[in-house]
């Protein structure tokens, strides 16, 4: 059982209502069934044919996030089933002025996995596409431990000084710091955090997702994660489904 199979078991055990309402999986061939969709797909995006239900679930999660109800959606399926394409199709429908998107990806690593790799990737890209000074300033104030992991965003002397100032910081602090940073960032615009290939990430990232799910503070935050399960979930093909409660 991989880290994210354990994660889902933790979610179901600790937060049955959250698990029932917000856990979403995809099973079956998502590359297009040829069936008619209520959503009119563009000629340039044939994937949207037959994907109305999945796209609607993502849209519903975004609407709740825009109202300050933090959302976490997990998209799972075997390689090539269309997880990334579904998310890209959903993001392509959004007005860029309404949301801020940060995307990161975990990669397969030999040996010990680098903590928070997908999240750090997303933050680095966010600093490049958004206002770098604003993002760096907020990281310095709210999440200095994370900023220290991205020294390329700072002048060398500044990065060295920051590392020295954090020499006694405990790893657990990084969880709290990022939660506060994401809440602060999403106070100005709805933030969509996309984390791909979470089956290759580390236990620290699992703990981070658990914390983001548990916090009660309002946040215009939608986290979308993709991962490969060990076994396909038991639900009808080409549909989002929620596991039944015991």
């Amino acid at each position: 059982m991989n880290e994210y199979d354990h994660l889902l078991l933790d979610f179901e055990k600790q937060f049955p209502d959250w698990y029932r309402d917000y856990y979403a999986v995809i099973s079956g061939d998502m590359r297009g069934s040829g069936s008619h969709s209520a959503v009119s797909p563009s000629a340039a995006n044939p994937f949207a044919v037959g994907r109305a239900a999945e796209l609607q679930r993502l849209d519903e999660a975004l609407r709740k996030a825009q109202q300050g109800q933090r959302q976490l959606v997990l998209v799972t399926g075997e390689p090539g089933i269309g997880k990334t394409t579904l998310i890209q199709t959903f993001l392509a429908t959004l007005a860029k002025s309404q949301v801020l998107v940060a995307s990161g990806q975990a990669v397969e690593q030999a040996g010990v996995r680098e903590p928070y790799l997908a999240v750090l990737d997303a933050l680095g890209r966010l600093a490049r596409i958004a206002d770098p000074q604003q993002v760096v300033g907020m990281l310095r104030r709210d999440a200095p431990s994370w900023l220290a992991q991205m020294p390329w965003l700072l002048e060398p002397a500044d990065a060295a000084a920051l590392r020295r100032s954090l020499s006694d910081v405990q790893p657990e602090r990084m969880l709290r710091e990022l939660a506060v940073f994401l809440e602060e960032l999403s106070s100005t615009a709805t933030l969509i955090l996309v984390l791909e290939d979470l089956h290759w990430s580390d236990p620290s990232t699992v703990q981070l997702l658990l914390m983001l799910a548990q916090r009660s503070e309002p946040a215009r935050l939608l986290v979308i994660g993709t991962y490969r399960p060990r076994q396909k979930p038991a639900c009808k093909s080409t549909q989002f489904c929620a596991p039944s409660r015991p």
Side-chain angles (χ1 to χ4, degrees), residues 191-240:
L191 174 63
I192 301 177
L193 179 63
V194 180
L195 304 175
E196 296 257 24
D197 293 331
L198 290 172
H199 49 277
W200 282 327
S201 65
D202 68 299
S204 297
T205 305
V206 176
Q207 293 302 315
L208 175 62
L209 292 181
L210 281 169
M211 170 170 274
L212 292 177
Q214 292 180 68
R215 286 177 69 87
S216 59
E217 288 79 1
R220 292 190 289 174
L221 173 66
L222 168 59
V223 180
I224 304 175
T226 72
Y227 79 103
R228 301 175 192 171
R230 173 164 291 191
Q231 295 180 341
K232 290 184 178 180
C235 62
K236 296 180 181 179
S237 64
T238 71
Q239 291 184 357
F240 271 88

Short mmCIF file of all heavy atoms in Angstrom, two decimals, residues 191-240:
data_model
loop_
_atom_site.label_atom_id
_atom_site.label_comp_id
_atom_site.label_asym_id
_atom_site.label_seq_id
_atom_site.Cartn_x
_atom_site.Cartn_y
_atom_site.Cartn_z
N LEU A 191 -7.04 30.49 -4.90
CA LEU A 191 -5.82 29.77 -5.27
C LEU A 191 -6.15 28.31 -5.57
O LEU A 191 -6.80 27.63 -4.77
CB LEU A 191 -4.81 29.84 -4.13
CG LEU A 191 -3.53 29.02 -4.30
CD1 LEU A 191 -2.72 29.51 -5.49
CD2 LEU A 191 -2.69 29.06 -3.02
N ILE A 192 -5.70 27.85 -6.73
CA ILE A 192 -5.80 26.44 -7.10
C ILE A 192 -4.40 25.86 -7.06
O ILE A 192 -3.52 26.27 -7.82
CB ILE A 192 -6.42 26.25 -8.49
CG1 ILE A 192 -7.83 26.86 -8.55
CG2 ILE A 192 -6.49 24.76 -8.85
CD1 ILE A 192 -8.48 26.77 -9.93
N LEU A 193 -4.19 24.92 -6.15
CA LEU A 193 -2.89 24.26 -6.01
C LEU A 193 -3.01 22.86 -6.59
O LEU A 193 -3.74 22.03 -6.07
CB LEU A 193 -2.50 24.20 -4.53
CG LEU A 193 -1.17 23.52 -4.19
CD1 LEU A 193 0.00 24.26 -4.82
CD2 LEU A 193 -1.00 23.43 -2.67
N VAL A 194 -2.31 22.62 -7.70
CA VAL A 194 -2.35 21.33 -8.39
C VAL A 194 -1.06 20.57 -8.07
O VAL A 194 0.03 21.07 -8.34
CB VAL A 194 -2.50 21.51 -9.91
CG1 VAL A 194 -2.54 20.15 -10.61
CG2 VAL A 194 -3.76 22.30 -10.24
N LEU A 195 -1.20 19.38 -7.52
CA LEU A 195 -0.06 18.55 -7.16
C LEU A 195 -0.18 17.22 -7.90
O LEU A 195 -1.06 16.41 -7.60
CB LEU A 195 0.00 18.32 -5.65
CG LEU A 195 0.03 19.58 -4.78
CD1 LEU A 195 -0.04 19.22 -3.31
CD2 LEU A 195 1.28 20.42 -5.08
N GLU A 196 0.71 17.01 -8.84
CA GLU A 196 0.63 15.82 -9.71
C GLU A 196 1.53 14.70 -9.20
O GLU A 196 2.58 14.94 -8.59
CB GLU A 196 1.07 16.21 -11.13
CG GLU A 196 0.15 17.22 -11.80
CD GLU A 196 -0.78 16.58 -12.81
OE1 GLU A 196 -1.05 15.37 -12.70
OE2 GLU A 196 -1.22 17.29 -13.73
N ASP A 197 1.11 13.45 -9.50
CA ASP A 197 1.90 12.25 -9.23
C ASP A 197 2.28 12.12 -7.75
O ASP A 197 3.43 11.87 -7.39
CB ASP A 197 3.16 12.23 -10.09
CG ASP A 197 2.84 12.07 -11.57
OD1 ASP A 197 1.80 11.45 -11.89
OD2 ASP A 197 3.62 12.55 -12.41
N LEU A 198 1.28 12.28 -6.89
CA LEU A 198 1.52 12.22 -5.46
C LEU A 198 1.94 10.84 -4.97
O LEU A 198 2.47 10.72 -3.86
CB LEU A 198 0.27 12.68 -4.71
CG LEU A 198 -0.05 14.18 -4.84
CD1 LEU A 198 -1.41 14.48 -4.23
CD2 LEU A 198 1.02 15.03 -4.20
N HIS A 199 1.75 9.81 -5.78
CA HIS A 199 2.20 8.47 -5.39
C HIS A 199 3.72 8.42 -5.27
O HIS A 199 4.27 7.49 -4.67
CB HIS A 199 1.72 7.43 -6.41
CG HIS A 199 2.00 7.80 -7.83
ND1 HIS A 199 1.18 8.65 -8.54
CD2 HIS A 199 3.02 7.48 -8.66
CE1 HIS A 199 1.67 8.81 -9.76
NE2 HIS A 199 2.79 8.12 -9.86
N TRP A 200 4.43 9.40 -5.84
CA TRP A 200 5.88 9.45 -5.74
C TRP A 200 6.36 10.44 -4.68
O TRP A 200 7.55 10.68 -4.55
CB TRP A 200 6.49 9.84 -7.09
CG TRP A 200 6.54 8.70 -8.07
CD1 TRP A 200 6.72 7.38 -7.79
CD2 TRP A 200 6.41 8.81 -9.49
NE1 TRP A 200 6.71 6.64 -8.95
CE2 TRP A 200 6.52 7.49 -10.01
CE3 TRP A 200 6.20 9.87 -10.37
CZ2 TRP A 200 6.44 7.22 -11.37
CZ3 TRP A 200 6.12 9.59 -11.72
CH2 TRP A 200 6.23 8.28 -12.22
N SER A 201 5.44 11.02 -3.93
CA SER A 201 5.86 12.00 -2.93
C SER A 201 6.13 11.31 -1.60
O SER A 201 6.10 10.08 -1.49
CB SER A 201 4.82 13.11 -2.79
OG SER A 201 3.62 12.58 -2.29
N ASP A 202 6.39 12.10 -0.58
CA ASP A 202 6.88 11.58 0.69
C ASP A 202 5.83 11.70 1.78
O ASP A 202 4.81 12.38 1.61
CB ASP A 202 8.12 12.39 1.10
CG ASP A 202 7.74 13.81 1.45
OD1 ASP A 202 7.21 14.52 0.56
OD2 ASP A 202 7.94 14.20 2.61
N PRO A 203 6.05 11.08 2.94
CA PRO A 203 5.07 11.17 4.04
C PRO A 203 4.81 12.59 4.52
O PRO A 203 3.72 12.89 5.00
CB PRO A 203 5.70 10.32 5.15
CG PRO A 203 6.59 9.36 4.43
CD PRO A 203 7.13 10.12 3.24
N SER A 204 5.79 13.48 4.41
CA SER A 204 5.57 14.86 4.85
C SER A 204 4.48 15.54 4.04
O SER A 204 3.69 16.33 4.57
CB SER A 204 6.88 15.67 4.73
OG SER A 204 7.87 15.15 5.58
N THR A 205 4.42 15.24 2.75
CA THR A 205 3.37 15.82 1.90
C THR A 205 2.00 15.29 2.31
O THR A 205 1.01 16.02 2.29
CB THR A 205 3.64 15.52 0.42
OG1 THR A 205 4.96 15.97 0.09
CG2 THR A 205 2.64 16.22 -0.47
N VAL A 206 1.94 14.01 2.70
CA VAL A 206 0.69 13.44 3.21
C VAL A 206 0.23 14.21 4.44
O VAL A 206 -0.94 14.59 4.56
CB VAL A 206 0.87 11.95 3.55
CG1 VAL A 206 -0.40 11.38 4.18
CG2 VAL A 206 1.25 11.16 2.31
N GLN A 207 1.16 14.47 5.36
CA GLN A 207 0.81 15.21 6.56
C GLN A 207 0.35 16.63 6.25
O GLN A 207 -0.55 17.16 6.89
CB GLN A 207 2.01 15.24 7.52
CG GLN A 207 2.38 13.88 8.09
CD GLN A 207 1.22 13.25 8.84
OE1 GLN A 207 0.54 13.90 9.62
NE2 GLN A 207 0.98 11.97 8.59
N LEU A 208 0.96 17.22 5.24
CA LEU A 208 0.55 18.56 4.84
C LEU A 208 -0.89 18.57 4.34
O LEU A 208 -1.69 19.44 4.72
CB LEU A 208 1.48 19.10 3.76
CG LEU A 208 1.10 20.46 3.16
CD1 LEU A 208 1.12 21.54 4.24
CD2 LEU A 208 2.03 20.82 2.02
N LEU A 209 -1.26 17.60 3.52
CA LEU A 209 -2.63 17.54 3.03
C LEU A 209 -3.61 17.30 4.16
O LEU A 209 -4.72 17.86 4.18
CB LEU A 209 -2.75 16.45 1.97
CG LEU A 209 -2.03 16.71 0.65
CD1 LEU A 209 -2.25 15.55 -0.32
CD2 LEU A 209 -2.47 18.02 0.01
N LEU A 210 -3.22 16.46 5.12
CA LEU A 210 -4.09 16.25 6.28
C LEU A 210 -4.30 17.55 7.04
O LEU A 210 -5.42 17.86 7.46
CB LEU A 210 -3.47 15.19 7.20
CG LEU A 210 -3.65 13.74 6.78
CD1 LEU A 210 -2.76 12.83 7.62
CD2 LEU A 210 -5.10 13.31 6.88
N MET A 211 -3.25 18.32 7.23
CA MET A 211 -3.38 19.58 7.94
C MET A 211 -4.28 20.55 7.17
O MET A 211 -5.16 21.20 7.76
CB MET A 211 -2.02 20.23 8.18
CG MET A 211 -2.12 21.67 8.71
SD MET A 211 -0.57 22.37 9.27
CE MET A 211 -0.55 21.76 10.96
N LEU A 212 -4.07 20.66 5.87
CA LEU A 212 -4.90 21.57 5.08
C LEU A 212 -6.37 21.18 5.14
O LEU A 212 -7.25 22.04 5.11
CB LEU A 212 -4.41 21.59 3.63
CG LEU A 212 -3.03 22.21 3.39
CD1 LEU A 212 -2.65 22.10 1.92
CD2 LEU A 212 -2.99 23.66 3.85
N ALA A 213 -6.64 19.87 5.22
CA ALA A 213 -8.02 19.41 5.29
C ALA A 213 -8.64 19.69 6.66
O ALA A 213 -9.84 19.93 6.76
CB ALA A 213 -8.09 17.92 4.99
N GLN A 214 -7.83 19.67 7.71
CA GLN A 214 -8.36 19.80 9.07
C GLN A 214 -8.57 21.25 9.51
O GLN A 214 -9.41 21.51 10.36
CB GLN A 214 -7.40 19.14 10.06
CG GLN A 214 -7.32 17.64 9.95
CD GLN A 214 -6.35 17.05 10.95
OE1 GLN A 214 -6.61 17.09 12.16
NE2 GLN A 214 -5.24 16.55 10.49
N ARG A 215 -7.79 22.17 8.97
CA ARG A 215 -7.87 23.54 9.48
C ARG A 215 -9.25 24.14 9.24
O ARG A 215 -9.85 23.95 8.18
CB ARG A 215 -6.79 24.41 8.83
CG ARG A 215 -5.41 24.11 9.38
CD ARG A 215 -4.34 24.90 8.68
NE ARG A 215 -4.39 26.32 8.95
CZ ARG A 215 -3.80 26.92 9.98
NH1 ARG A 215 -3.13 26.20 10.86
NH2 ARG A 215 -3.87 28.23 10.14
N SER A 216 -9.74 24.87 10.22
CA SER A 216 -11.09 25.42 10.16
C SER A 216 -11.14 26.84 9.62
O SER A 216 -12.22 27.35 9.33
CB SER A 216 -11.73 25.38 11.55
OG SER A 216 -10.95 26.15 12.48
N GLU A 217 -9.98 27.47 9.48
CA GLU A 217 -9.97 28.85 8.98
C GLU A 217 -10.49 28.91 7.55
O GLU A 217 -10.13 28.07 6.73
CB GLU A 217 -8.55 29.43 9.03
CG GLU A 217 -8.04 29.73 10.42
CD GLU A 217 -7.54 28.50 11.15
OE1 GLU A 217 -7.58 27.40 10.55
OE2 GLU A 217 -7.13 28.64 12.31
N PRO A 218 -11.33 29.89 7.24
CA PRO A 218 -11.79 30.03 5.85
C PRO A 218 -10.61 30.27 4.91
O PRO A 218 -9.64 30.94 5.26
CB PRO A 218 -12.71 31.26 5.90
CG PRO A 218 -13.09 31.40 7.35
CD PRO A 218 -11.91 30.92 8.13
N ALA A 219 -10.70 29.70 3.73
CA ALA A 219 -9.64 29.91 2.74
C ALA A 219 -10.22 29.66 1.36
O ALA A 219 -10.91 28.66 1.14
CB ALA A 219 -8.46 28.96 3.00
N ARG A 220 -9.93 30.57 0.46
CA ARG A 220 -10.35 30.39 -0.94
C ARG A 220 -9.29 29.53 -1.62
O ARG A 220 -8.55 29.99 -2.48
CB ARG A 220 -10.53 31.74 -1.62
CG ARG A 220 -11.72 32.53 -1.07
CD ARG A 220 -12.03 33.74 -1.90
NE ARG A 220 -11.00 34.76 -1.75
CZ ARG A 220 -10.97 35.89 -2.45
NH1 ARG A 220 -11.88 36.12 -3.38
NH2 ARG A 220 -10.02 36.78 -2.25
N LEU A 221 -9.27 28.27 -1.24
CA LEU A 221 -8.21 27.35 -1.64
C LEU A 221 -8.82 26.06 -2.18
O LEU A 221 -9.64 25.43 -1.52
CB LEU A 221 -7.30 27.05 -0.44
CG LEU A 221 -6.23 25.97 -0.64
CD1 LEU A 221 -5.20 26.42 -1.66
CD2 LEU A 221 -5.57 25.65 0.70
N LEU A 222 -8.38 25.67 -3.37
CA LEU A 222 -8.75 24.39 -3.97
C LEU A 222 -7.46 23.64 -4.26
O LEU A 222 -6.64 24.09 -5.06
CB LEU A 222 -9.55 24.60 -5.26
CG LEU A 222 -9.77 23.36 -6.14
CD1 LEU A 222 -10.49 22.26 -5.39
CD2 LEU A 222 -10.54 23.75 -7.42
N VAL A 223 -7.27 22.51 -3.59
CA VAL A 223 -6.11 21.65 -3.84
C VAL A 223 -6.58 20.47 -4.66
O VAL A 223 -7.53 19.77 -4.28
CB VAL A 223 -5.48 21.16 -2.52
CG1 VAL A 223 -4.27 20.27 -2.81
CG2 VAL A 223 -5.08 22.35 -1.64
N ILE A 224 -5.93 20.24 -5.80
CA ILE A 224 -6.24 19.11 -6.67
C ILE A 224 -5.00 18.24 -6.74
O ILE A 224 -3.93 18.71 -7.15
CB ILE A 224 -6.65 19.55 -8.08
CG1 ILE A 224 -7.83 20.52 -8.02
CG2 ILE A 224 -7.01 18.34 -8.94
CD1 ILE A 224 -8.21 21.11 -9.38
N GLY A 225 -5.12 16.99 -6.33
CA GLY A 225 -3.98 16.08 -6.39
C GLY A 225 -4.28 14.90 -7.28
O GLY A 225 -5.42 14.44 -7.38
N THR A 226 -3.25 14.40 -7.98
CA THR A 226 -3.39 13.19 -8.77
C THR A 226 -2.44 12.13 -8.24
O THR A 226 -1.35 12.43 -7.78
CB THR A 226 -3.09 13.44 -10.26
OG1 THR A 226 -1.68 13.64 -10.44
CG2 THR A 226 -3.85 14.64 -10.79
N TYR A 227 -2.89 10.89 -8.30
CA TYR A 227 -2.01 9.79 -7.90
C TYR A 227 -2.53 8.48 -8.47
O TYR A 227 -3.68 8.38 -8.89
CB TYR A 227 -1.88 9.70 -6.38
CG TYR A 227 -3.04 9.02 -5.68
CD1 TYR A 227 -2.94 7.71 -5.22
CD2 TYR A 227 -4.23 9.70 -5.46
CE1 TYR A 227 -4.00 7.10 -4.58
CE2 TYR A 227 -5.29 9.11 -4.82
CZ TYR A 227 -5.17 7.79 -4.38
OH TYR A 227 -6.23 7.20 -3.76
N ARG A 228 -1.64 7.51 -8.52
CA ARG A 228 -1.99 6.17 -8.99
C ARG A 228 -2.22 5.26 -7.79
O ARG A 228 -1.33 5.09 -6.97
CB ARG A 228 -0.85 5.58 -9.82
CG ARG A 228 -0.46 6.38 -11.03
CD ARG A 228 0.76 5.75 -11.69
NE ARG A 228 1.35 6.63 -12.69
CZ ARG A 228 2.52 6.40 -13.28
NH1 ARG A 228 3.23 5.33 -12.93
NH2 ARG A 228 2.99 7.24 -14.18
N PRO A 229 -3.38 4.65 -7.70
CA PRO A 229 -3.62 3.73 -6.59
C PRO A 229 -3.00 2.37 -6.90
O PRO A 229 -2.69 2.06 -8.04
CB PRO A 229 -5.14 3.63 -6.55
CG PRO A 229 -5.52 3.79 -8.00
CD PRO A 229 -4.53 4.78 -8.59
N ARG A 230 -2.84 1.57 -5.87
CA ARG A 230 -2.36 0.21 -6.10
C ARG A 230 -3.43 -0.59 -6.83
O ARG A 230 -3.12 -1.41 -7.70
CB ARG A 230 -2.02 -0.46 -4.78
CG ARG A 230 -1.68 -1.93 -4.91
CD ARG A 230 -0.99 -2.48 -3.70
NE ARG A 230 0.35 -1.92 -3.59
CZ ARG A 230 1.27 -2.37 -2.75
NH1 ARG A 230 1.00 -3.38 -1.95
NH2 ARG A 230 2.46 -1.83 -2.68
N GLN A 231 -4.69 -0.35 -6.47
CA GLN A 231 -5.79 -1.03 -7.12
C GLN A 231 -6.80 0.02 -7.58
O GLN A 231 -6.97 1.05 -6.95
CB GLN A 231 -6.49 -2.00 -6.18
CG GLN A 231 -5.60 -3.16 -5.76
CD GLN A 231 -6.34 -4.10 -4.83
OE1 GLN A 231 -7.35 -3.73 -4.24
NE2 GLN A 231 -5.84 -5.31 -4.71
N LYS A 232 -7.47 -0.27 -8.67
CA LYS A 232 -8.50 0.66 -9.16
C LYS A 232 -9.65 0.70 -8.17
O LYS A 232 -10.06 -0.33 -7.63
CB LYS A 232 -9.03 0.21 -10.52
CG LYS A 232 -8.04 0.36 -11.65
CD LYS A 232 -8.68 -0.01 -12.96
CE LYS A 232 -7.72 0.16 -14.13
NZ LYS A 232 -8.33 -0.19 -15.41
N PRO A 233 -10.20 1.91 -7.91
CA PRO A 233 -11.36 2.00 -7.02
C PRO A 233 -12.58 1.36 -7.65
O PRO A 233 -12.71 1.31 -8.87
CB PRO A 233 -11.55 3.51 -6.85
CG PRO A 233 -10.91 4.10 -8.04
CD PRO A 233 -9.78 3.19 -8.43
N ALA A 234 -13.46 0.86 -6.81
CA ALA A 234 -14.64 0.18 -7.31
C ALA A 234 -15.75 1.18 -7.56
O ALA A 234 -16.60 1.44 -6.73
CB ALA A 234 -15.11 -0.87 -6.30
N CYS A 235 -15.74 1.78 -8.74
CA CYS A 235 -16.83 2.67 -9.12
C CYS A 235 -17.01 2.58 -10.61
O CYS A 235 -16.15 2.06 -11.32
CB CYS A 235 -16.57 4.12 -8.70
SG CYS A 235 -15.13 4.86 -9.45
N LYS A 236 -18.11 3.05 -11.12
CA LYS A 236 -18.41 2.94 -12.53
C LYS A 236 -17.40 3.70 -13.36
O LYS A 236 -16.92 4.75 -12.96
CB LYS A 236 -19.82 3.46 -12.81
CG LYS A 236 -20.92 2.62 -12.13
CD LYS A 236 -22.27 3.19 -12.45
CE LYS A 236 -23.37 2.38 -11.76
NZ LYS A 236 -24.71 2.92 -12.04
N SER A 237 -17.12 3.19 -14.52
CA SER A 237 -16.12 3.81 -15.38
C SER A 237 -16.55 5.20 -15.81
O SER A 237 -17.73 5.49 -15.93
CB SER A 237 -15.87 2.95 -16.61
OG SER A 237 -17.03 2.88 -17.39
N THR A 238 -15.55 6.04 -16.04
CA THR A 238 -15.70 7.41 -16.53
C THR A 238 -16.55 8.29 -15.63
O THR A 238 -17.16 9.23 -16.08
CB THR A 238 -16.30 7.44 -17.96
OG1 THR A 238 -17.67 7.06 -17.93
CG2 THR A 238 -15.53 6.55 -18.90
N GLN A 239 -16.61 7.98 -14.35
CA GLN A 239 -17.39 8.82 -13.43
C GLN A 239 -16.58 9.15 -12.19
O GLN A 239 -15.75 8.37 -11.75
CB GLN A 239 -18.67 8.10 -12.98
CG GLN A 239 -19.69 7.91 -14.09
CD GLN A 239 -20.96 7.29 -13.56
OE1 GLN A 239 -21.05 6.95 -12.39
NE2 GLN A 239 -21.94 7.15 -14.42
N PHE A 240 -16.85 10.33 -11.64
CA PHE A 240 -16.40 10.60 -10.28
C PHE A 240 -17.28 9.76 -9.37
O PHE A 240 -18.46 9.56 -9.64
CB PHE A 240 -16.65 12.07 -9.91
CG PHE A 240 -15.53 12.98 -10.25
CD1 PHE A 240 -15.45 13.58 -11.49
CD2 PHE A 240 -14.56 13.25 -9.31
CE1 PHE A 240 -14.43 14.44 -11.78
CE2 PHE A 240 -13.53 14.13 -9.60
CZ PHE A 240 -13.47 14.73 -10.83
#
